Amino acid sequence: MIAELVARLVSTSALAGTRASLTLLCLGLAGRFELLAAPHPWMTSNVGLGVLLALVIVEELAEQDEDLQALFDMVAYALRGGAGALAAGTIQASASGAGLEIPQWGAAMVGAGLAVGTHHLRAQLHQQLVGAGEGVLSPRTWLAWLELGGVLGLMVAIVLAPILALGFVVVASLAGVGVIVAKRALEDRVWRRACDGCGARVRVEARRCPGCRQAVEVARWRG
C-alpha cells in the first residue's frame, strides 16, 4: 500500500509538470467516479470539470505553438507547481481515506517540487528541438503529441497499476536527460573548438576566448 501511494504521488506530480490541466482534469474525473478521493469539491463539480477542460484546450494550443509556448513559459513554473501540489493533495486525500496519514503540507511540497522539476526538464528538452522543423515535421510537435498520449495512458495506469506508471515516469525522465546530454555533446563537438591558450571550449565563430580572454581566430561562421 505504501509503495503504491508513493508511486501515485510521484507519478501524478510528474504528470502535472508535463500537462497541468489535463492531469487535474483526469484526477477530477477519477474523483467524480470515486476511483480516487478529491481533496477539493470543486475538482469534481460540473463547473470545475468544465473549467479544467477549457484550460486543457488552452494549454494544448500553447504547447503546439512555439510562440505561444514562449509566452506560457513565463508563468508555467508557478502554474505547474500549483498543479503538482493539487495533484499530490488528491493522492494525500486517497491515502487518508485508506487509513494512511500524510501531512497535507508535505504532500503539497513534494508535489510542487516534482512538478517544477519535471517542467524544467521538459522545457530544456523542448528548447533543444526549437527550429528543427515546422508543423508536423517538427520534432517538438511529435514530442508534444507523445506527451499528451503518455499523460492519458499513465493516468489510467496510476489508478490501476501505480508501480508501472512510476516505472514509465522514471524511464521517460532518464530518456529526456539522455537526449539533452547527447544533443549538447554533439553541438560541443561540431560548433566548438579548444582554445590554444587555456584549452577552454570556444565557439567556432568567437573572436575571443571566454576563459583566458585571449584573441582567437574565427574558425568558421555558423549559417
Side-chain angles (χ1 to χ4, degrees):
M1 184 65 182
I2 295 179
E4 291 185 355
L5 172 63
V6 172
R8 284 195 173 111
L9 179 63
V10 173
S11 300
T12 52
S13 301
L15 292 183
T18 304
R19 289 293 192 281
S21 304
L22 182 59
T23 300
L24 294 181
L25 176 62
C26 291
L27 290 174
L29 290 172
R32 182 70 171 264
F33 292 103
E34 299 183 351
L35 298 174
L36 293 173
H40 304 288
W42 68 266
M43 290 182 65
T44 58
S45 67
N46 292 334
V47 174
L49 292 174
V51 170
L52 289 174
L53 178 59
L55 291 176
V56 168
I57 296 174
V58 172
E59 188 175 18
E60 283 307 310
L61 290 175
E63 289 292 341
Q64 299 296 333
D65 187 281
E66 290 186 3
D67 295 331
L68 287 177
Q69 190 179 46
L71 294 175
F72 179 71
D73 279 345
M74 297 174 63
V75 295
Y77 280 94
L79 291 177
R80 286 181 169 153
L86 285 174
T90 299
I91 306 305
Q92 185 267 343
S94 298
S96 297
L100 294 175
E101 294 298 330
I102 301 177
Q104 187 173 6
W105 62 268
M109 288 185 63
V110 171
L114 288 172
V116 169
T118 302
H119 172 67
H120 181 72
L121 174 61
R122 67 178 296 273
Q124 295 296 314
L125 179 58
H126 278 263
Q127 183 62 35
Q128 299 299 316
L129 301 177
V130 170
E134 296 183 358
V136 295
L137 298 180
S138 171
R140 281 192 68 258
T141 300
W142 288 93
L143 179 58
W145 288 344
L146 180 63
E147 289 174 344
L148 176 60
V151 169
L152 291 172
L154 287 177
M155 285 306 304
V156 175
I158 285 171
V159 175
L160 302 179
I163 302 298
L164 180 62
L166 177 60
F168 275 109
V169 168
V170 172
V171 170
S173 299
L174 293 176
V177 172
V179 170
I180 294 172
V181 171
K183 177 75 162 33
R184 289 179 175 175
L186 179 61
E187 288 184 343
D188 182 77
R189 185 178 183 86
V190 175
W191 297 112
R192 292 182 183 271
R193 41 40 191 287
C195 171
D196 294 332
C198 66
R201 301 295 293 176
V202 184
R203 301 183 70 88
V204 293
E205 72 274 17
R207 297 178 181 273
R208 188 175 298 277
C209 173
C212 62
R213 309 304 298 173
Q214 291 184 359
V216 294
E217 183 179 353
V218 176
R220 67 179 185 273
W221 295 103
R222 297 182 63 169

